[in-house]
Amino acid sequence: MASRQRPTRIGRVASNKMQKTVVVEVESRKLHPIYRRMIRRITRVKAHDEANACAIGDLVRLEETRPLSKEKHWRVAEILERARVTSPVE
């Protein structure tokens, strides 16, 4: 029996203040049905980060999973791009 491919999303980490959980902002663009302009929607989802490896600003790929808690239905599959760290000006 072949396993089905899980839905994936790509987004940016907005918060990593919880243990083993990150908040990821996923952007979607769609055409407005009347005005024919692109509309940008940002959805914030909670994702499971087992190793606490994500930092704020990282670009991550999420994979849908079984419900892990009340609001957590995604897990971090991989970190695509690390956030650029800038040093404070002295």
Side-chain angles (χ1 to χ4, degrees):
M1 187 163 130
S3 64
R4 69 177 184 95
Q5 178 119 9
R6 294 177 183 266
T8 60
R9 302 275 186 271
I10 294 177
R12 229 168 254 283
V13 176
S15 171
N16 63 349
K17 294 184 179 187
M18 294 172 272
Q19 293 178 11
K20 297 187 178 186
T21 304
V22 290
V23 178
V24 180
E25 291 183 342
V26 178
E27 180 182 310
S28 63
R29 292 172 181 259
K30 58 188 279 191
L31 197 64
H32 191 280
I34 296 172
Y35 300 120
R36 296 303 199 204
R37 300 277 303 219
M38 291 304 284
I39 299 174
R40 189 176 84 172
R41 296 274 182 219
I42 294 177
T43 306
R44 292 169 63 100
V45 296
K46 289 185 175 74
H48 186 68
D49 178 21
E50 182 64 37
N52 280 328
C54 294
I56 294 175
D58 288 354
L59 190 68
V60 295
R61 184 168 59 82
L62 303 177
E63 192 174 74
E64 195 171 33
T65 185
R66 65 182 175 84
L68 300 171
S69 68
K70 180 181 174 183
E71 297 179 334
K72 198 159 65 164
H73 307 273
W74 296 87
R75 81 167 169 253
V76 177
E78 66 177 313
I79 299 172
L80 301 172
E81 175 186 304
R82 289 284 183 183
R84 289 191 212 114
V85 179
T86 57
S87 59
V89 179
E90 294 182 20

